[in-house]
Amino acid sequence: MAVTITRLPEHVANQIAAGEVVQRPASVVKELLENAVDAGATELQLVVKDSGKTLIQLIDNGSGMSEEDAQACFERHATSKIHQAEDLFKLHTKGFRGEALASIAAVAQVSLKTRMADAEVGTEVKIAGSEISEVSECVTPVGTVISVKNLFFNIPARRNFLKSNPVELRHIIDEFHRVALAHPDLAFSLHSNDSLLFSLPQANLKQRITGIFGPKTKERLVPVTEETEVVAVSGFVIKPEFAKKSRGDQFFFVNDRFIKSSYLHHAVTAAFDGLLKDKTVPGYFLFLKVPTDSIDINIHPTKTEIKFDDDHTIYAMLQAAVKHSLGQFNVAPVLDFNRDDSLDTPYEMKQAAPKMPSIAVDPSFNPFKEKSNSGRSNYQRLQEHQPSWEALYTQVDNKEIGETALDEITLESQEVSGRFFEDAENEAQLPSMQLFGKYLASPTKGGMLLVHQQRAHQRVLYEDYLKRMTADAANSQALLFPISLDLDSKQKALLEEVKDGLDHLGFSFSAEEQVTLSAIPTAVKPEQVGQIIENLLADLSTDVPGMSFSANDVLAKSMAKSLSVKTGAKLSKDEQQHMINQLFACKESNLSPFGKPTFKIITNTEIDNKF
């Protein structure tokens, strides 16, 4: 009989397995950082070039490896973290699967230099595509230097699927943040293309958060501390007034390991109930300590998912801890039935003898006695000398005011009656009316036209902004006092990615320590800039554009959404008609930029059928 099942070659099996662990350069960064932490390093220096596509290098001062271990670490399922199945439920290290280095070596060119403290010389191992090409002695400091070059060099299809450099760099920064936040007692640095992005010395958690997200974050943090037999909760939550629309400042750590959990996120959101603005997400940096035998981490190769033995209790404890902290630091209103110290008897009155209260009576007081003029108020005196309203018009008939008749006096009109349309043709359009502050209704030959005013305005602005971004000149207004925005490095990278589009729209900014806006579009008010940039960053983080065209598309959509008229805004008759005319002048008038209908036509037949 023919044999149809065969064993795959080793290099093919390694590439298949590597697809689960190494998805992009950020995956390599995560595995290398976690290995260095497990090796006991106190200083970790990460260097990336071309967002990790050309080089990812990690230098640490950990324990190092012997020559045998340096070669064995690249074999699949070779690890020093566990030795038997029971060890999976008493993990104290980041890694345990023994797949990271083998997967990286299968899809990249790797160079490893390592030396232990008691060794005179180190060991250098060069490996590419799971094939070791060289093992030699070298001079290197105590610790490990691992360089990953030309990621996916042997899988061109995977390399072509990588996003643009700014997008891949954002993912690297995300992984760097997660490991750096989990270990504030270690020193981290990140270099990208010979420029220093982060330099984080050893510190406490609060200092580490401000070092990553900026000094203004310090005043926004509310400490959370709760310790029980089931779980110990610590960390910080961000005050509700600083909640953002995008999800980026949400960090859960279980036993110093970053995890993603929508279930626990719901617990924190429930604790903020009634305190958040609409469509905003609370920010938090929360650390949970639980017994190692009560969780299961071996669910996914990325090790960001976790299972709890008693997740309902964890949910309740976390929600209660966050709610208690918000009330304790006067962030949330609370009912306090404890004794108020301000109602206590003053110290100097405690020894005083009680006295009968005295009552003072004026025996000469007569409420029916007429008051003299001296007792009258200034208002009453003023009223007596004030002429009556008829006296204001007594001189008009006599023409004593410069002998000028009343009908000859030119008075300024209280109502400005400017004409919205220049020609009478547009003015003769069919009338329109506004319904419920949301729709514009206008009769047509065959029935009734209903226009959603916000979606219609979004379509008009969207096409206008796309047209402007292809033009050379932009209508902008220079600011006498530049506007400064406090953004972290990830948000700065997002703005840099769409800088050309913002320049064409009329924004002009410089991104150094702070983002400083020196000019804004003429249609934007200075007080709107903060909200517009916040919405833009939220949209860019969600859509993650990979090409300049899609980045401009996201930018145009975000600007249109921020500056369009909102539901409830009242429009004049001319504004209603102008918006309808602009909508039907668009290339795609029947849909908003987000794919929702902008108008509906109700025919006469449909109206007649209602009766």
Side-chain angles (χ1 to χ4, degrees):
M1 295 179 64
V3 177
T4 58
I5 298 177
T6 59
R7 184 181 295 273
L8 289 173
E10 185 69 20
H11 70 281
V12 177
N14 287 342
Q15 289 184 8
I16 294 173
E20 294 182 348
V21 179
V22 183
Q23 300 171 355
R24 59 194 337 147
S27 306
V28 177
V29 170
K30 172 183 180 294
E31 300 295 344
L32 296 184
L33 287 173
E34 290 182 348
N35 282 344
V37 171
D38 289 340
T42 58
E43 296 181 2
L44 297 87
Q45 182 179 353
L46 179 64
V47 180
V48 296
K49 287 187 178 180
D50 297 331
S51 300
K53 299 175 183 177
T54 302
L55 172 68
I56 300 173
Q57 185 181 60
L58 182 65
I59 306 170
D60 68 68
N61 62 347
S63 58
M65 291 181 284
S66 63
E67 181 179 349
E68 292 77 11
D69 288 342
Q71 300 178 58
C73 70
F74 291 106
E75 297 179 7
R76 189 161 302 280
H77 307 303
T79 180
S80 62
K81 315 297 174 60
I82 63 173
H83 302 283
Q84 52 189 356
E86 289 76 11
D87 294 340
L88 289 173
F89 296 97
K90 49 183 178 182
L91 290 172
H92 296 281
T93 57
K94 302 289 185 182
F96 55 88
R97 299 172 64 95
E99 290 183 332
L101 291 180
S103 298
I104 294 170
V107 294
Q109 299 168 346
V110 182
S111 172
L112 173 69
K113 294 181 180 180
T114 182
R115 181 168 78 88
M116 301 181 72
D118 56 355
E120 295 182 358
V121 294
T123 303
E124 181 177 6
V125 178
K126 293 183 178 179
I127 182 172
S130 301
E131 296 291 335
I132 295 179
S133 60
E134 182 182 347
V135 179
S136 60
E137 294 181 345
C138 68
V139 177
T140 184
V142 176
T144 302
V145 179
I146 184 167
S147 303
V148 180
K149 301 177 182 178
N150 301 324
L151 188 64
F152 300 128
F153 78 101
N154 53 352
I155 314 178
R158 288 290 299 274
R159 190 174 179 87
N160 292 335
F161 280 122
L162 294 178
K163 302 295 184 180
S164 63
N165 284 350
V167 174
E168 295 297 342
L169 182 60
R170 289 207 308 271
H171 288 286
I172 290 175
I173 292 175
D174 284 341
E175 296 294 347
F176 180 82
H177 285 174
R178 293 165 183 175
V179 180
L181 286 171
H183 301 278
D185 54 330
L186 307 181
F188 292 85
S189 65
L190 172 58
H191 293 76
S192 175
N193 294 339
D194 300 326
S195 62
L196 180 64
L197 297 184
F198 292 96
S199 180
L200 306 173
Q202 297 179 356
N204 57 35
L205 178 59
K206 193 171 189 177
Q207 293 169 337
R208 177 57 53 86
I209 294 173
T210 55
I212 293 176
F213 296 98
K216 288 190 176 180
T217 312
K218 184 177 181 180
E219 61 189 21
R220 304 175 182 179
L221 300 177
V222 178
V224 178
T225 305
E226 191 69 42
E227 189 167 352
T228 65
E229 296 180 356
V230 179
V231 61
V233 182
S234 62
F236 298 91
V237 295
I238 297 178
K239 294 179 180 178
E241 58 265 30
F242 300 107
K244 300 179 181 179
K245 293 186 177 181
S246 61
R247 295 189 62 170
D249 297 339
Q250 292 78 33
F251 295 89
F252 275 122
F253 300 91
V254 176
N255 295 350
D256 293 333
R257 181 192 302 275
F258 173 80
I259 68 161
K260 297 178 181 178
S261 175
S262 57
Y263 186 66
L264 296 182
H265 173 76
H266 187 273
V268 178
T269 306
F272 277 85
D273 188 26
L275 301 176
L276 296 173
K277 297 179 182 177
D278 188 29
K279 296 181 181 179
T280 57
V281 186
Y284 49 81
F285 310 87
L286 295 173
F287 290 73
L288 281 68
K289 293 287 186 182
V290 296
T292 56
D293 57 353
S294 66
I295 56 175
D296 184 9
I297 305 169
N298 189 24
I299 298 174
H300 192 272
T302 58
K303 300 185 285 290
T304 56
E305 298 179 18
I306 196 169
K307 292 290 185 183
F308 295 93
D309 279 354
D310 191 359
D311 51 358
H312 295 290
T313 303
I314 301 290
Y315 181 100
M317 293 292 183
L318 181 61
Q319 180 183 357
V322 173
K323 186 171 288 189
H324 175 71
S325 294
L326 293 175
Q328 184 179 7
F329 291 91
N330 297 325
V331 177
V334 296
L335 292 176
D336 189 3
F337 295 100
N338 294 333
R339 177 177 55 85
D340 190 352
D341 295 338
S342 62
L343 300 179
D344 291 346
T345 305
Y347 177 78
E348 62 273 9
M349 299 296 295
K350 288 185 177 181
Q351 305 297 330
K355 296 181 180 178
M356 180 69 69
S358 58
I359 301 175
V361 179
D362 184 8
S364 61
F365 175 73
N366 184 0
F368 303 102
K369 184 179 180 181
E370 293 184 1
K371 294 183 179 180
S372 62
N373 286 339
S374 60
R376 296 192 177 208
S377 65
N378 292 333
Y379 176 75
Q380 291 173 328
R381 296 173 189 165
L382 182 63
Q383 289 294 100
E384 290 179 356
H385 296 86
Q386 187 74 15
S388 62
W389 65 271
E390 293 93 343
L392 297 175
Y393 301 95
T394 54
Q395 298 177 348
V396 174
D397 294 334
N398 297 332
K399 296 188 178 182
E400 294 183 3
I401 310 177
E403 300 295 330
T404 302
L406 184 63
D407 55 358
E408 298 177 3
I409 299 176
T410 303
L411 300 177
E412 183 180 359
S413 175
Q414 294 181 358
E415 183 178 355
V416 179
S417 56
R419 301 173 69 86
F420 190 82
F421 298 99
E422 295 180 0
D423 53 349
E425 182 180 354
N426 287 331
E427 208 167 18
Q429 297 280 352
L430 291 173
S432 63
M433 62 181 297
Q434 191 174 23
L435 302 176
F436 318 121
K438 188 174 183 179
Y439 303 102
L440 304 179
S442 178
T444 63
K445 277 187 176 182
M448 177 73 69
L449 172 69
L450 279 180
V451 178
H452 195 293
Q453 67 181 33
Q454 184 175 9
R455 296 178 186 173
H457 200 203
Q458 286 176 354
R459 166 53 63 178
V460 172
L461 293 177
Y462 170 70
E463 293 196 3
D464 180 52
Y465 290 144
L466 281 182
K467 191 183 300 181
R468 290 190 196 181
M469 280 186 277
T470 59
D472 296 331
N475 297 324
S476 63
Q477 54 180 342
L479 295 174
L480 183 61
F481 300 101
I483 300 174
S484 297
L485 302 174
D486 187 22
L487 305 178
D488 57 36
S489 57
K490 179 182 175 182
Q491 293 171 325
K492 290 179 184 176
L494 283 172
L495 282 185
E496 288 288 349
E497 188 175 346
V498 294
K499 188 177 190 304
D500 293 339
L502 287 172
D503 289 341
H504 282 89
L505 288 179
F507 288 97
S508 178
F509 69 92
S510 60
E512 297 176 357
E513 292 185 1
Q514 282 188 329
V515 174
T516 304
L517 286 165
S518 56
I520 59 176
T522 53
V524 176
K525 298 179 181 178
E527 57 268 18
Q528 295 177 314
V529 171
Q531 189 64 41
I532 290 173
I533 297 297
E534 181 182 345
N535 294 341
L536 173 60
L537 292 173
D539 293 333
L540 288 174
S541 299
T542 304
D543 287 12
V544 192
M547 298 182 296
S548 60
F549 172 77
S550 62
N552 290 340
D553 185 68
V554 174
L555 174 58
K557 287 181 179 178
S558 179
M559 290 286 294
K561 182 173 64 175
S562 298
L563 296 178
S564 59
V565 293
K566 303 299 184 286
T567 299
K570 294 184 178 180
L571 303 179
S572 66
K573 293 289 184 181
D574 292 340
E575 290 171 337
Q576 296 171 23
Q577 192 62 55
H578 183 60
M579 182 175 293
I580 295 175
N581 294 340
Q582 281 187 313
L583 173 63
F584 288 101
C586 293
K587 295 181 179 179
E588 185 68 37
S589 59
N590 58 337
L591 291 176
S592 74
F594 306 97
K596 297 181 179 179
T598 56
F599 68 89
K600 294 286 186 182
I601 296 179
I602 303 176
T603 63
N604 289 335
T605 304
E606 291 176 337
I607 297 176
D608 291 338
N609 290 337
K610 298 294 183 182
F611 297 92

